[in-house]
Amino acid sequence: MAYTNNDILSFTQLFDGNPEAYGVTEVGEIVDGKAKSKSRLVYEKLSPAVIQRHLDGQISIGVAPIRNDGTCNFGAIDIDDYKYDLNDVIAAIEDFGMPLCPCYSKSKKLHIYIFFEDAVPAEDVQEILKWYASAFACGKKVEIFPKQSKAHSTQTFYSWINLPYFEANNPDNHRKLVTKAGVVSLGDAIPIMQSRRLTLKEHKRWIDEFQYKDAPPCILSGLLLRDVGPGQRNNWLFSAGVYLRL
């Protein structure tokens, strides 16, 4: 389904990040499950016209979430090196109604986005995303955006993450919002992303009210993912049984 001008504007608003520059990535061949690429910075504000070029597949855009005042409108977990099944993460987000938006990356790993109604301090975004990363049993190599917790007057740009929906109308392109049923077109994804855009207070409340929030990380991830990997199931079932009886 072709996207509209309103989709372009909504996409630009959702991924409203650092205004000083944006990243451009030239995607190459995939080697050992990782897409080879070259990146560069363009020192200008990311406009809807540039976003349209991204959606059309002309240039692949990346955005740094942290802005000059140290706040963010969005953040992301970049799950690249993962020992479990990414489909379990996608299913957990959907089944538990988490206010997150999982999208395939260029290497068909996961970028999990979080959106905020109002700009919030980068440290708060990092805190929330670290909880989710631990809940999904992500390893030490997982990347959280924003990477920087504060803005600096002498810093001209910050770490960016590549945006989804490059070449949005190509049905063979997987860089899109993904559900248990498969990838979602941009026109259908926009209202989903907007519906999961909450205030900081609402995002924190969701975690605070989650039934298993205080479970040990290994128990929490097992409950969410339903599978803790070969050779660990019996130990997990014993530990979970002890925890749930407490």
Side-chain angles (χ1 to χ4, degrees), residues 24 73 80 102 106 130 133 138 143 179 185 197 199 211-213 217-218 223:
V24 173
N73 286 316
D80 190 33
K106 59 183 184 296
K130 285 176 182 177
C138 295
E143 294 183 280
T179 68
S185 69
R197 184 171 56 181
T199 65
Q211 183 178 1
Y212 307 114
K213 175 183 77 78
C218 61
L223 289 166

Side-chain angles (χ1 to χ4, degrees), residues 197-227:
R197 184 171 56 181
L198 307 179
T199 65
L200 174 62
K201 185 176 181 179
E202 288 170 334
H203 274 297
K204 287 186 173 182
R205 184 188 303 136
W206 193 95
I207 294 175
D208 288 339
E209 294 179 353
F210 185 64
Q211 183 178 1
Y212 307 114
K213 175 183 77 78
D214 296 322
C218 61
I219 303 298
L220 177 60
S221 60
L223 289 166
L224 289 175
L225 304 176
R226 289 88 158 181
D227 186 359

Side-chain angles (χ1 to χ4, degrees), residues 13-197:
Q13 291 168 356
L14 283 165
F15 293 99
D16 181 18
N18 192 280
E20 301 297 327
Y22 57 86
V24 173
T25 300
E26 298 175 3
V27 182
E29 64 178 334
I30 296 179
V31 178
D32 296 329
K34 181 73 174 177
K36 298 294 182 179
S37 60
K38 295 181 180 179
S39 300
R40 57 186 172 87
L41 277 174
V42 177
Y43 282 91
E44 64 181 35
K45 183 175 176 58
L46 185 60
S47 66
V50 176
I51 287 292
Q52 183 169 4
R53 294 181 65 198
H54 171 83
L55 300 177
D56 287 343
Q58 298 175 19
I59 53 174
S60 179
I61 298 300
V63 175
I66 189 169
R67 306 191 302 179
N68 291 340
D69 61 357
T71 64
C72 303
N73 286 316
F74 78 98
I77 304 171
D78 181 358
I79 303 180
D80 190 33
D81 183 14
Y82 194 62
K83 63 181 179 179
Y84 301 131
D85 191 340
L86 289 173
N87 289 320
D88 292 335
V89 176
I90 295 167
I93 291 172
E94 191 169 332
D95 292 346
F96 288 95
M98 296 178 175
L100 303 173
C101 296
C103 298
Y104 282 135
S105 67
K106 59 183 184 296
S107 300
K108 209 172 184 181
K109 299 305 171 64
L110 274 188
H111 289 172
I112 301 176
Y113 294 97
I114 188 169
F115 298 103
F116 296 88
E117 284 280 2
D118 305 300
V120 302
E123 300 101 312
D124 289 312
V125 181
Q126 291 175 331
E127 178 185 357
I128 290 172
L129 292 180
K130 285 176 182 177
W131 183 86
Y132 281 111
S134 175
F136 293 138
C138 295
K140 294 181 179 179
K141 292 184 179 181
V142 67
E143 294 183 280
I144 288 175
F145 294 81
K147 285 191 175 183
Q148 292 79 18
S149 60
K150 295 183 181 296
H152 301 281
S153 59
T154 58
Q155 194 160 341
T156 57
F157 198 61
Y158 303 86
S159 302
W160 80 81
I161 185 167
N162 289 305
L163 300 186
Y165 288 95
F166 171 73
E167 200 175 8
N169 283 340
N170 182 353
D172 296 324
N173 184 19
H174 55 259
R175 290 172 60 180
K176 300 173 181 176
L177 179 73
V178 59
T179 68
K180 291 191 295 184
V183 294
V184 181
S185 69
L186 179 60
D188 291 334
I190 290 292
I192 295 174
M193 292 178 175
Q194 290 174 329
S195 70
R196 297 178 188 177
R197 184 171 56 181

